PDB file of all heavy atoms in Angstrom:
ATOM      1  N   PHE A   1     -11.094  -5.993  -8.194  1.00  0.00           N
ATOM      2  CA  PHE A   1     -10.755  -7.405  -8.305  1.00  0.00           C
ATOM      3  C   PHE A   1     -11.695  -8.099  -9.280  1.00  0.00           C
ATOM      4  O   PHE A   1     -12.879  -7.755  -9.371  1.00  0.00           O
ATOM      5  CB  PHE A   1     -10.846  -8.113  -6.938  1.00  0.00           C
ATOM      6  CG  PHE A   1      -9.879  -7.601  -5.918  1.00  0.00           C
ATOM      7  CD1 PHE A   1     -10.266  -6.622  -5.012  1.00  0.00           C
ATOM      8  CD2 PHE A   1      -8.573  -8.083  -5.866  1.00  0.00           C
ATOM      9  CE1 PHE A   1      -9.372  -6.134  -4.066  1.00  0.00           C
ATOM     10  CE2 PHE A   1      -7.684  -7.602  -4.932  1.00  0.00           C
ATOM     11  CZ  PHE A   1      -8.081  -6.625  -4.031  1.00  0.00           C
ATOM     12  N   GLU A   2     -11.157  -9.065  -9.990  1.00  0.00           N
ATOM     13  CA  GLU A   2     -11.973  -9.940 -10.818  1.00  0.00           C
ATOM     14  C   GLU A   2     -12.181 -11.241 -10.066  1.00  0.00           C
ATOM     15  O   GLU A   2     -11.222 -11.834  -9.562  1.00  0.00           O
ATOM     16  CB  GLU A   2     -11.282 -10.207 -12.155  1.00  0.00           C
ATOM     17  CG  GLU A   2     -11.200  -9.000 -13.058  1.00  0.00           C
ATOM     18  CD  GLU A   2     -10.497  -9.297 -14.379  1.00  0.00           C
ATOM     19  OE1 GLU A   2      -9.948 -10.417 -14.489  1.00  0.00           O
ATOM     20  OE2 GLU A   2     -10.480  -8.431 -15.262  1.00  0.00           O
ATOM     21  N   ARG A   3     -13.409 -11.670  -9.966  1.00  0.00           N
ATOM     22  CA  ARG A   3     -13.725 -12.904  -9.236  1.00  0.00           C
ATOM     23  C   ARG A   3     -14.102 -13.987 -10.225  1.00  0.00           C
ATOM     24  O   ARG A   3     -14.960 -13.783 -11.089  1.00  0.00           O
ATOM     25  CB  ARG A   3     -14.860 -12.671  -8.250  1.00  0.00           C
ATOM     26  CG  ARG A   3     -14.488 -11.764  -7.069  1.00  0.00           C
ATOM     27  CD  ARG A   3     -15.393 -10.569  -7.008  1.00  0.00           C
ATOM     28  NE  ARG A   3     -15.154  -9.772  -5.799  1.00  0.00           N
ATOM     29  CZ  ARG A   3     -14.888  -8.478  -5.841  1.00  0.00           C
ATOM     30  NH1 ARG A   3     -14.824  -7.834  -7.002  1.00  0.00           N
ATOM     31  NH2 ARG A   3     -14.687  -7.810  -4.725  1.00  0.00           N
ATOM     32  N   SER A   4     -13.480 -15.145 -10.107  1.00  0.00           N
ATOM     33  CA  SER A   4     -13.799 -16.269 -10.989  1.00  0.00           C
ATOM     34  C   SER A   4     -14.659 -17.282 -10.227  1.00  0.00           C
ATOM     35  O   SER A   4     -14.780 -17.211  -9.002  1.00  0.00           O
ATOM     36  CB  SER A   4     -12.523 -16.932 -11.509  1.00  0.00           C
ATOM     37  OG  SER A   4     -11.740 -17.412 -10.433  1.00  0.00           O
ATOM     38  N   GLY A   5     -15.211 -18.240 -10.960  1.00  0.00           N
ATOM     39  CA  GLY A   5     -16.132 -19.199 -10.363  1.00  0.00           C
ATOM     40  C   GLY A   5     -15.505 -20.082  -9.309  1.00  0.00           C
ATOM     41  O   GLY A   5     -16.180 -20.575  -8.421  1.00  0.00           O
ATOM     42  N   ASN A   6     -14.184 -20.318  -9.377  1.00  0.00           N
ATOM     43  CA  ASN A   6     -13.528 -21.205  -8.404  1.00  0.00           C
ATOM     44  C   ASN A   6     -13.001 -20.436  -7.193  1.00  0.00           C
ATOM     45  O   ASN A   6     -12.080 -20.871  -6.518  1.00  0.00           O
ATOM     46  CB  ASN A   6     -12.382 -21.972  -9.068  1.00  0.00           C
ATOM     47  CG  ASN A   6     -11.360 -21.037  -9.705  1.00  0.00           C
ATOM     48  OD1 ASN A   6     -11.489 -19.814  -9.617  1.00  0.00           O
ATOM     49  ND2 ASN A   6     -10.352 -21.609 -10.334  1.00  0.00           N
ATOM     50  N   LYS A   7     -13.586 -19.251  -6.948  1.00  0.00           N
ATOM     51  CA  LYS A   7     -13.268 -18.405  -5.790  1.00  0.00           C
ATOM     52  C   LYS A   7     -11.897 -17.754  -5.868  1.00  0.00           C
ATOM     53  O   LYS A   7     -11.442 -17.149  -4.915  1.00  0.00           O
ATOM     54  CB  LYS A   7     -13.380 -19.208  -4.478  1.00  0.00           C
ATOM     55  CG  LYS A   7     -14.793 -19.693  -4.178  1.00  0.00           C
ATOM     56  CD  LYS A   7     -14.872 -20.359  -2.816  1.00  0.00           C
ATOM     57  CE  LYS A   7     -16.291 -20.802  -2.518  1.00  0.00           C
ATOM     58  NZ  LYS A   7     -16.395 -21.447  -1.187  1.00  0.00           N
ATOM     59  N   LYS A   8     -11.209 -17.879  -7.001  1.00  0.00           N
ATOM     60  CA  LYS A   8      -9.933 -17.194  -7.165  1.00  0.00           C
ATOM     61  C   LYS A   8     -10.189 -15.751  -7.570  1.00  0.00           C
ATOM     62  O   LYS A   8     -11.171 -15.449  -8.250  1.00  0.00           O
ATOM     63  CB  LYS A   8      -9.067 -17.900  -8.212  1.00  0.00           C
ATOM     64  CG  LYS A   8      -8.510 -19.236  -7.743  1.00  0.00           C
ATOM     65  CD  LYS A   8      -7.521 -19.801  -8.750  1.00  0.00           C
ATOM     66  CE  LYS A   8      -6.908 -21.101  -8.241  1.00  0.00           C
ATOM     67  NZ  LYS A   8      -5.920 -21.659  -9.202  1.00  0.00           N
ATOM     68  N   ILE A   9      -9.310 -14.863  -7.134  1.00  0.00           N
ATOM     69  CA  ILE A   9      -9.454 -13.463  -7.500  1.00  0.00           C
ATOM     70  C   ILE A   9      -8.149 -12.963  -8.120  1.00  0.00           C
ATOM     71  O   ILE A   9      -7.074 -13.514  -7.883  1.00  0.00           O
ATOM     72  CB  ILE A   9      -9.823 -12.577  -6.287  1.00  0.00           C
ATOM     73  CG1 ILE A   9      -8.727 -12.625  -5.221  1.00  0.00           C
ATOM     74  CG2 ILE A   9     -11.168 -12.979  -5.709  1.00  0.00           C
ATOM     75  CD1 ILE A   9      -8.940 -11.634  -4.092  1.00  0.00           C
ATOM     76  N   SER A  10      -8.256 -11.926  -8.917  1.00  0.00           N
ATOM     77  CA  SER A  10      -7.086 -11.279  -9.508  1.00  0.00           C
ATOM     78  C   SER A  10      -7.359  -9.787  -9.587  1.00  0.00           C
ATOM     79  O   SER A  10      -8.514  -9.343  -9.526  1.00  0.00           O
ATOM     80  CB  SER A  10      -6.786 -11.849 -10.903  1.00  0.00           C
ATOM     81  OG  SER A  10      -7.899 -11.667 -11.751  1.00  0.00           O
ATOM     82  N   LEU A  11      -6.312  -9.001  -9.713  1.00  0.00           N
ATOM     83  CA  LEU A  11      -6.461  -7.551  -9.769  1.00  0.00           C
ATOM     84  C   LEU A  11      -6.908  -7.107 -11.160  1.00  0.00           C
ATOM     85  O   LEU A  11      -6.421  -7.616 -12.173  1.00  0.00           O
ATOM     86  CB  LEU A  11      -5.129  -6.871  -9.424  1.00  0.00           C
ATOM     87  CG  LEU A  11      -4.714  -6.902  -7.954  1.00  0.00           C
ATOM     88  CD1 LEU A  11      -3.255  -6.525  -7.812  1.00  0.00           C
ATOM     89  CD2 LEU A  11      -5.579  -5.949  -7.127  1.00  0.00           C
ATOM     90  N   THR A  12      -7.817  -6.165 -11.193  1.00  0.00           N
ATOM     91  CA  THR A  12      -8.170  -5.506 -12.450  1.00  0.00           C
ATOM     92  C   THR A  12      -7.104  -4.449 -12.743  1.00  0.00           C
ATOM     93  O   THR A  12      -6.260  -4.156 -11.886  1.00  0.00           O
ATOM     94  CB  THR A  12      -9.540  -4.815 -12.328  1.00  0.00           C
ATOM     95  OG1 THR A  12      -9.424  -3.773 -11.351  1.00  0.00           O
ATOM     96  CG2 THR A  12     -10.623  -5.800 -11.930  1.00  0.00           C
ATOM     97  N   PRO A  13      -7.112  -3.859 -13.946  1.00  0.00           N
ATOM     98  CA  PRO A  13      -6.160  -2.758 -14.204  1.00  0.00           C
ATOM     99  C   PRO A  13      -6.270  -1.637 -13.165  1.00  0.00           C
ATOM    100  O   PRO A  13      -5.254  -1.065 -12.740  1.00  0.00           O
ATOM    101  CB  PRO A  13      -6.565  -2.280 -15.600  1.00  0.00           C
ATOM    102  CG  PRO A  13      -7.100  -3.516 -16.262  1.00  0.00           C
ATOM    103  CD  PRO A  13      -7.829  -4.252 -15.178  1.00  0.00           C
ATOM    104  N   ALA A  14      -7.504  -1.323 -12.728  1.00  0.00           N
ATOM    105  CA  ALA A  14      -7.685  -0.301 -11.686  1.00  0.00           C
ATOM    106  C   ALA A  14      -7.067  -0.771 -10.369  1.00  0.00           C
ATOM    107  O   ALA A  14      -6.458   0.021  -9.639  1.00  0.00           O
ATOM    108  CB  ALA A  14      -9.170   0.000 -11.504  1.00  0.00           C
ATOM    109  N   GLY A  15      -7.234  -2.065 -10.064  1.00  0.00           N
ATOM    110  CA  GLY A  15      -6.636  -2.617  -8.851  1.00  0.00           C
ATOM    111  C   GLY A  15      -5.122  -2.562  -8.888  1.00  0.00           C
ATOM    112  O   GLY A  15      -4.466  -2.251  -7.883  1.00  0.00           O
ATOM    113  N   GLU A  16      -4.536  -2.864 -10.056  1.00  0.00           N
ATOM    114  CA  GLU A  16      -3.076  -2.776 -10.219  1.00  0.00           C
ATOM    115  C   GLU A  16      -2.588  -1.365  -9.957  1.00  0.00           C
ATOM    116  O   GLU A  16      -1.577  -1.150  -9.279  1.00  0.00           O
ATOM    117  CB  GLU A  16      -2.675  -3.216 -11.636  1.00  0.00           C
ATOM    118  CG  GLU A  16      -2.921  -4.682 -11.947  1.00  0.00           C
ATOM    119  CD  GLU A  16      -1.831  -5.595 -11.418  1.00  0.00           C
ATOM    120  OE1 GLU A  16      -0.927  -5.094 -10.716  1.00  0.00           O
ATOM    121  OE2 GLU A  16      -1.891  -6.806 -11.706  1.00  0.00           O
ATOM    122  N   MET A  17      -3.317  -0.378 -10.503  1.00  0.00           N
ATOM    123  CA  MET A  17      -2.924   1.019 -10.306  1.00  0.00           C
ATOM    124  C   MET A  17      -3.030   1.423  -8.840  1.00  0.00           C
ATOM    125  O   MET A  17      -2.136   2.072  -8.279  1.00  0.00           O
ATOM    126  CB  MET A  17      -3.790   1.944 -11.163  1.00  0.00           C
ATOM    127  CG  MET A  17      -3.422   3.420 -11.033  1.00  0.00           C
ATOM    128  SD  MET A  17      -4.455   4.493 -12.027  1.00  0.00           S
ATOM    129  CE  MET A  17      -3.883   4.045 -13.680  1.00  0.00           C
ATOM    130  N   LEU A  18      -4.133   1.023  -8.204  1.00  0.00           N
ATOM    131  CA  LEU A  18      -4.311   1.376  -6.794  1.00  0.00           C
ATOM    132  C   LEU A  18      -3.240   0.728  -5.928  1.00  0.00           C
ATOM    133  O   LEU A  18      -2.757   1.340  -4.963  1.00  0.00           O
ATOM    134  CB  LEU A  18      -5.702   0.951  -6.317  1.00  0.00           C
ATOM    135  CG  LEU A  18      -6.061   1.362  -4.880  1.00  0.00           C
ATOM    136  CD1 LEU A  18      -5.995   2.875  -4.708  1.00  0.00           C
ATOM    137  CD2 LEU A  18      -7.449   0.840  -4.499  1.00  0.00           C
ATOM    138  N   LEU A  19      -2.836  -0.493  -6.262  1.00  0.00           N
ATOM    139  CA  LEU A  19      -1.780  -1.161  -5.505  1.00  0.00           C
ATOM    140  C   LEU A  19      -0.469  -0.388  -5.598  1.00  0.00           C
ATOM    141  O   LEU A  19       0.237  -0.230  -4.599  1.00  0.00           O
ATOM    142  CB  LEU A  19      -1.588  -2.595  -6.013  1.00  0.00           C
ATOM    143  CG  LEU A  19      -0.483  -3.411  -5.333  1.00  0.00           C
ATOM    144  CD1 LEU A  19      -0.715  -3.512  -3.833  1.00  0.00           C
ATOM    145  CD2 LEU A  19      -0.366  -4.803  -5.958  1.00  0.00           C
ATOM    146  N   GLN A  20      -0.147   0.118  -6.786  1.00  0.00           N
ATOM    147  CA  GLN A  20       1.084   0.903  -6.951  1.00  0.00           C
ATOM    148  C   GLN A  20       1.067   2.141  -6.071  1.00  0.00           C
ATOM    149  O   GLN A  20       2.049   2.463  -5.407  1.00  0.00           O
ATOM    150  CB  GLN A  20       1.257   1.302  -8.418  1.00  0.00           C
ATOM    151  CG  GLN A  20       1.567   0.143  -9.350  1.00  0.00           C
ATOM    152  CD  GLN A  20       1.661   0.588 -10.796  1.00  0.00           C
ATOM    153  OE1 GLN A  20       1.877   1.751 -11.089  1.00  0.00           O
ATOM    154  NE2 GLN A  20       1.477  -0.351 -11.724  1.00  0.00           N
ATOM    155  N   TYR A  21      -0.074   2.840  -6.053  1.00  0.00           N
ATOM    156  CA  TYR A  21      -0.171   4.053  -5.238  1.00  0.00           C
ATOM    157  C   TYR A  21      -0.199   3.728  -3.742  1.00  0.00           C
ATOM    158  O   TYR A  21       0.377   4.454  -2.923  1.00  0.00           O
ATOM    159  CB  TYR A  21      -1.420   4.851  -5.625  1.00  0.00           C
ATOM    160  CG  TYR A  21      -1.207   5.731  -6.831  1.00  0.00           C
ATOM    161  CD1 TYR A  21      -1.634   5.336  -8.092  1.00  0.00           C
ATOM    162  CD2 TYR A  21      -0.573   6.969  -6.717  1.00  0.00           C
ATOM    163  CE1 TYR A  21      -1.425   6.138  -9.212  1.00  0.00           C
ATOM    164  CE2 TYR A  21      -0.360   7.774  -7.813  1.00  0.00           C
ATOM    165  CZ  TYR A  21      -0.785   7.359  -9.060  1.00  0.00           C
ATOM    166  OH  TYR A  21      -0.568   8.162 -10.153  1.00  0.00           O
ATOM    167  N   THR A  22      -0.854   2.635  -3.385  1.00  0.00           N
ATOM    168  CA  THR A  22      -0.905   2.248  -1.969  1.00  0.00           C
ATOM    169  C   THR A  22       0.485   1.887  -1.465  1.00  0.00           C
ATOM    170  O   THR A  22       0.855   2.209  -0.327  1.00  0.00           O
ATOM    171  CB  THR A  22      -1.868   1.058  -1.772  1.00  0.00           C
ATOM    172  OG1 THR A  22      -3.144   1.385  -2.313  1.00  0.00           O
ATOM    173  CG2 THR A  22      -2.040   0.729  -0.296  1.00  0.00           C
ATOM    174  N   ASP A  23       1.279   1.211  -2.314  1.00  0.00           N
ATOM    175  CA  ASP A  23       2.676   0.921  -1.957  1.00  0.00           C
ATOM    176  C   ASP A  23       3.420   2.207  -1.617  1.00  0.00           C
ATOM    177  O   ASP A  23       4.138   2.283  -0.616  1.00  0.00           O
ATOM    178  CB  ASP A  23       3.384   0.222  -3.130  1.00  0.00           C
ATOM    179  CG  ASP A  23       3.469  -1.282  -2.939  1.00  0.00           C
ATOM    180  OD1 ASP A  23       3.616  -1.714  -1.787  1.00  0.00           O
ATOM    181  OD2 ASP A  23       3.399  -2.013  -3.929  1.00  0.00           O
ATOM    182  N   LYS A  24       3.259   3.215  -2.466  1.00  0.00           N
ATOM    183  CA  LYS A  24       3.949   4.496  -2.246  1.00  0.00           C
ATOM    184  C   LYS A  24       3.459   5.179  -0.975  1.00  0.00           C
ATOM    185  O   LYS A  24       4.253   5.726  -0.198  1.00  0.00           O
ATOM    186  CB  LYS A  24       3.736   5.421  -3.448  1.00  0.00           C
ATOM    187  CG  LYS A  24       4.391   4.941  -4.730  1.00  0.00           C
ATOM    188  CD  LYS A  24       4.039   5.853  -5.907  1.00  0.00           C
ATOM    189  CE  LYS A  24       4.621   5.328  -7.210  1.00  0.00           C
ATOM    190  NZ  LYS A  24       4.226   6.164  -8.376  1.00  0.00           N
ATOM    191  N   LEU A  25       2.140   5.150  -0.753  1.00  0.00           N
ATOM    192  CA  LEU A  25       1.582   5.775   0.445  1.00  0.00           C
ATOM    193  C   LEU A  25       2.071   5.093   1.716  1.00  0.00           C
ATOM    194  O   LEU A  25       2.398   5.764   2.710  1.00  0.00           O
ATOM    195  CB  LEU A  25       0.049   5.733   0.383  1.00  0.00           C
ATOM    196  CG  LEU A  25      -0.611   6.681  -0.609  1.00  0.00           C
ATOM    197  CD1 LEU A  25      -2.088   6.341  -0.769  1.00  0.00           C
ATOM    198  CD2 LEU A  25      -0.451   8.130  -0.163  1.00  0.00           C
ATOM    199  N   LEU A  26       2.138   3.767   1.699  1.00  0.00           N
ATOM    200  CA  LEU A  26       2.626   3.038   2.869  1.00  0.00           C
ATOM    201  C   LEU A  26       4.077   3.385   3.162  1.00  0.00           C
ATOM    202  O   LEU A  26       4.469   3.540   4.325  1.00  0.00           O
ATOM    203  CB  LEU A  26       2.468   1.529   2.654  1.00  0.00           C
ATOM    204  CG  LEU A  26       1.043   0.990   2.785  1.00  0.00           C
ATOM    205  CD1 LEU A  26       0.971  -0.447   2.291  1.00  0.00           C
ATOM    206  CD2 LEU A  26       0.565   1.065   4.237  1.00  0.00           C
ATOM    207  N   ASP A  27       4.894   3.511   2.112  1.00  0.00           N
ATOM    208  CA  ASP A  27       6.293   3.913   2.299  1.00  0.00           C
ATOM    209  C   ASP A  27       6.372   5.292   2.944  1.00  0.00           C
ATOM    210  O   ASP A  27       7.186   5.524   3.850  1.00  0.00           O
ATOM    211  CB  ASP A  27       7.031   3.932   0.957  1.00  0.00           C
ATOM    212  CG  ASP A  27       7.399   2.546   0.474  1.00  0.00           C
ATOM    213  OD1 ASP A  27       7.413   1.621   1.307  1.00  0.00           O
ATOM    214  OD2 ASP A  27       7.671   2.385  -0.729  1.00  0.00           O
ATOM    215  N   ILE A  28       5.540   6.225   2.468  1.00  0.00           N
ATOM    216  CA  ILE A  28       5.550   7.585   3.026  1.00  0.00           C
ATOM    217  C   ILE A  28       5.147   7.571   4.496  1.00  0.00           C
ATOM    218  O   ILE A  28       5.771   8.226   5.329  1.00  0.00           O
ATOM    219  CB  ILE A  28       4.615   8.501   2.212  1.00  0.00           C
ATOM    220  CG1 ILE A  28       5.205   8.744   0.818  1.00  0.00           C
ATOM    221  CG2 ILE A  28       4.385   9.830   2.928  1.00  0.00           C
ATOM    222  CD1 ILE A  28       4.255   9.428  -0.138  1.00  0.00           C
ATOM    223  N   TYR A  29       4.110   6.801   4.834  1.00  0.00           N
ATOM    224  CA  TYR A  29       3.666   6.742   6.230  1.00  0.00           C
ATOM    225  C   TYR A  29       4.713   6.082   7.127  1.00  0.00           C
ATOM    226  O   TYR A  29       4.907   6.480   8.277  1.00  0.00           O
ATOM    227  CB  TYR A  29       2.325   6.012   6.335  1.00  0.00           C
ATOM    228  CG  TYR A  29       1.138   6.936   6.159  1.00  0.00           C
ATOM    229  CD1 TYR A  29       0.594   7.148   4.901  1.00  0.00           C
ATOM    230  CD2 TYR A  29       0.576   7.619   7.237  1.00  0.00           C
ATOM    231  CE1 TYR A  29      -0.486   8.015   4.718  1.00  0.00           C
ATOM    232  CE2 TYR A  29      -0.498   8.474   7.072  1.00  0.00           C
ATOM    233  CZ  TYR A  29      -1.024   8.675   5.809  1.00  0.00           C
ATOM    234  OH  TYR A  29      -2.083   9.533   5.636  1.00  0.00           O
ATOM    235  N   ARG A  30       5.412   5.086   6.604  1.00  0.00           N
ATOM    236  CA  ARG A  30       6.471   4.457   7.393  1.00  0.00           C
ATOM    237  C   ARG A  30       7.600   5.449   7.653  1.00  0.00           C
ATOM    238  O   ARG A  30       8.148   5.507   8.755  1.00  0.00           O
ATOM    239  CB  ARG A  30       6.995   3.212   6.673  1.00  0.00           C
ATOM    240  CG  ARG A  30       6.103   1.985   6.826  1.00  0.00           C
ATOM    241  CD  ARG A  30       6.791   0.720   6.337  1.00  0.00           C
ATOM    242  NE  ARG A  30       6.874   0.683   4.887  1.00  0.00           N
ATOM    243  CZ  ARG A  30       6.026   0.033   4.102  1.00  0.00           C
ATOM    244  NH1 ARG A  30       5.016  -0.621   4.629  1.00  0.00           N
ATOM    245  NH2 ARG A  30       6.177   0.038   2.785  1.00  0.00           N
ATOM    246  N   GLU A  31       7.950   6.224   6.625  1.00  0.00           N
ATOM    247  CA  GLU A  31       8.992   7.234   6.788  1.00  0.00           C
ATOM    248  C   GLU A  31       8.569   8.299   7.785  1.00  0.00           C
ATOM    249  O   GLU A  31       9.364   8.757   8.605  1.00  0.00           O
ATOM    250  CB  GLU A  31       9.306   7.883   5.430  1.00  0.00           C
ATOM    251  CG  GLU A  31      10.064   6.993   4.480  1.00  0.00           C
ATOM    252  CD  GLU A  31      11.346   6.469   5.098  1.00  0.00           C
ATOM    253  OE1 GLU A  31      12.141   7.291   5.601  1.00  0.00           O
ATOM    254  OE2 GLU A  31      11.547   5.249   5.113  1.00  0.00           O
ATOM    255  N   LEU A  32       7.316   8.717   7.704  1.00  0.00           N
ATOM    256  CA  LEU A  32       6.797   9.718   8.631  1.00  0.00           C
ATOM    257  C   LEU A  32       6.887   9.222  10.067  1.00  0.00           C
ATOM    258  O   LEU A  32       7.371   9.936  10.968  1.00  0.00           O
ATOM    259  CB  LEU A  32       5.344  10.044   8.268  1.00  0.00           C
ATOM    260  CG  LEU A  32       4.592  10.963   9.239  1.00  0.00           C
ATOM    261  CD1 LEU A  32       5.255  12.329   9.317  1.00  0.00           C
ATOM    262  CD2 LEU A  32       3.126  11.097   8.803  1.00  0.00           C
ATOM    263  N   GLU A  33       6.444   7.990  10.286  1.00  0.00           N
ATOM    264  CA  GLU A  33       6.484   7.419  11.637  1.00  0.00           C
ATOM    265  C   GLU A  33       7.918   7.309  12.143  1.00  0.00           C
ATOM    266  O   GLU A  33       8.217   7.631  13.297  1.00  0.00           O
ATOM    267  CB  GLU A  33       5.821   6.039  11.618  1.00  0.00           C
ATOM    268  CG  GLU A  33       5.727   5.390  12.987  1.00  0.00           C
ATOM    269  CD  GLU A  33       5.066   4.029  12.928  1.00  0.00           C
ATOM    270  OE1 GLU A  33       4.733   3.574  11.819  1.00  0.00           O
ATOM    271  OE2 GLU A  33       4.905   3.410  14.000  1.00  0.00           O
ATOM    272  N   TYR A  34       8.819   6.874  11.265  1.00  0.00           N
ATOM    273  CA  TYR A  34      10.236   6.732  11.626  1.00  0.00           C
ATOM    274  C   TYR A  34      10.834   8.075  12.027  1.00  0.00           C
ATOM    275  O   TYR A  34      11.458   8.218  13.079  1.00  0.00           O
ATOM    276  CB  TYR A  34      10.976   6.142  10.427  1.00  0.00           C
ATOM    277  CG  TYR A  34      12.470   5.994  10.596  1.00  0.00           C
ATOM    278  CD1 TYR A  34      13.006   5.063  11.471  1.00  0.00           C
ATOM    279  CD2 TYR A  34      13.345   6.787   9.848  1.00  0.00           C
ATOM    280  CE1 TYR A  34      14.380   4.920  11.605  1.00  0.00           C
ATOM    281  CE2 TYR A  34      14.726   6.650   9.984  1.00  0.00           C
ATOM    282  CZ  TYR A  34      15.225   5.717  10.860  1.00  0.00           C
ATOM    283  OH  TYR A  34      16.580   5.573  10.989  1.00  0.00           O
ATOM    284  N   ASP A  35      10.636   9.098  11.200  1.00  0.00           N
ATOM    285  CA  ASP A  35      11.232  10.404  11.468  1.00  0.00           C
ATOM    286  C   ASP A  35      10.618  11.076  12.689  1.00  0.00           C
ATOM    287  O   ASP A  35      11.314  11.753  13.455  1.00  0.00           O
ATOM    288  CB  ASP A  35      11.090  11.315  10.246  1.00  0.00           C
ATOM    289  CG  ASP A  35      12.018  10.906   9.115  1.00  0.00           C
ATOM    290  OD1 ASP A  35      13.057  10.264   9.409  1.00  0.00           O
ATOM    291  OD2 ASP A  35      11.726  11.207   7.949  1.00  0.00           O
ATOM    292  N   MET A  36       9.313  10.903  12.906  1.00  0.00           N
ATOM    293  CA  MET A  36       8.684  11.471  14.099  1.00  0.00           C
ATOM    294  C   MET A  36       9.216  10.811  15.363  1.00  0.00           C
ATOM    295  O   MET A  36       9.450  11.481  16.379  1.00  0.00           O
ATOM    296  CB  MET A  36       7.164  11.313  14.017  1.00  0.00           C
ATOM    297  CG  MET A  36       6.506  12.153  12.930  1.00  0.00           C
ATOM    298  SD  MET A  36       6.718  13.931  13.180  1.00  0.00           S
ATOM    299  CE  MET A  36       5.591  14.213  14.533  1.00  0.00           C
ATOM    300  N   ASN A  37       9.436   9.491  15.300  1.00  0.00           N
ATOM    301  CA  ASN A  37       9.993   8.797  16.461  1.00  0.00           C
ATOM    302  C   ASN A  37      11.410   9.262  16.770  1.00  0.00           C
ATOM    303  O   ASN A  37      11.812   9.359  17.933  1.00  0.00           O
ATOM    304  CB  ASN A  37       9.985   7.285  16.224  1.00  0.00           C
ATOM    305  CG  ASN A  37       8.610   6.679  16.383  1.00  0.00           C
ATOM    306  OD1 ASN A  37       7.766   7.233  17.078  1.00  0.00           O
ATOM    307  ND2 ASN A  37       8.361   5.554  15.744  1.00  0.00           N
ATOM    308  N   LEU A  38      12.176   9.560  15.716  1.00  0.00           N
ATOM    309  CA  LEU A  38      13.538  10.047  15.933  1.00  0.00           C
ATOM    310  C   LEU A  38      13.556  11.368  16.689  1.00  0.00           C
ATOM    311  O   LEU A  38      14.465  11.653  17.460  1.00  0.00           O
ATOM    312  CB  LEU A  38      14.271  10.221  14.593  1.00  0.00           C
ATOM    313  CG  LEU A  38      14.715   8.956  13.875  1.00  0.00           C
ATOM    314  CD1 LEU A  38      15.468   9.322  12.600  1.00  0.00           C
ATOM    315  CD2 LEU A  38      15.595   8.095  14.761  1.00  0.00           C
ATOM    316  N   LEU A  39      12.541  12.184  16.454  1.00  0.00           N
ATOM    317  CA  LEU A  39      12.486  13.494  17.095  1.00  0.00           C
ATOM    318  C   LEU A  39      12.265  13.392  18.600  1.00  0.00           C
ATOM    319  O   LEU A  39      12.743  14.234  19.362  1.00  0.00           O
ATOM    320  CB  LEU A  39      11.366  14.339  16.480  1.00  0.00           C
ATOM    321  CG  LEU A  39      11.615  14.908  15.085  1.00  0.00           C
ATOM    322  CD1 LEU A  39      10.360  15.612  14.582  1.00  0.00           C
ATOM    323  CD2 LEU A  39      12.793  15.886  15.103  1.00  0.00           C
ATOM    324  N   ILE A  40      11.537  12.368  19.022  1.00  0.00           N
ATOM    325  CA  ILE A  40      11.137  12.313  20.434  1.00  0.00           C
ATOM    326  C   ILE A  40      11.924  11.291  21.248  1.00  0.00           C
ATOM    327  O   ILE A  40      11.817  11.264  22.468  1.00  0.00           O
ATOM    328  CB  ILE A  40       9.631  12.014  20.558  1.00  0.00           C
ATOM    329  CG1 ILE A  40       9.288  10.658  19.950  1.00  0.00           C
ATOM    330  CG2 ILE A  40       8.812  13.109  19.902  1.00  0.00           C
ATOM    331  CD1 ILE A  40       7.839  10.230  20.160  1.00  0.00           C
ATOM    332  N   LYS A  41      12.728  10.478  20.586  1.00  0.00           N
ATOM    333  CA  LYS A  41      13.451   9.441  21.319  1.00  0.00           C
ATOM    334  C   LYS A  41      14.943   9.740  21.386  1.00  0.00           C
ATOM    335  O   LYS A  41      15.518  10.278  20.453  1.00  0.00           O
ATOM    336  CB  LYS A  41      13.260   8.078  20.650  1.00  0.00           C
ATOM    337  CG  LYS A  41      11.877   7.486  20.820  1.00  0.00           C
ATOM    338  CD  LYS A  41      11.820   6.098  20.181  1.00  0.00           C
ATOM    339  CE  LYS A  41      10.445   5.480  20.342  1.00  0.00           C
ATOM    340  NZ  LYS A  41      10.365   4.145  19.688  1.00  0.00           N
TER     341      LYS A  41
END
């Protein structure tokens, strides 16, 4: 994150990249949880 003097923050290029990968990881974990629940319910 880039921090400015007025307490506002923004994503750095590295932050943008990490956000893209985190989005994908969260989708995978949601799918995993969904499919595991289907097996037992």
Side-chain angles (χ1 to χ4, degrees):
F1 297 95
E2 291 180 352
R3 291 122 173 126
S4 60
N6 57 2
K7 296 185 178 180
K8 288 187 177 181
I9 62 172
S10 59
L11 286 166
T12 64
E16 294 279 5
M17 181 181 290
L18 185 59
L19 179 58
Q20 291 177 21
Y21 277 99
T22 305
D23 260 326
K24 294 175 184 177
L25 287 169
L26 285 169
D27 283 341
I28 291 170
Y29 272 91
R30 281 191 287 262
E31 288 305 308
L32 173 62
E33 184 180 3
Y34 177 69
D35 287 335
M36 292 297 286
N37 284 336
L38 286 182
L39 286 175
I40 62 174
K41 288 183 180 178

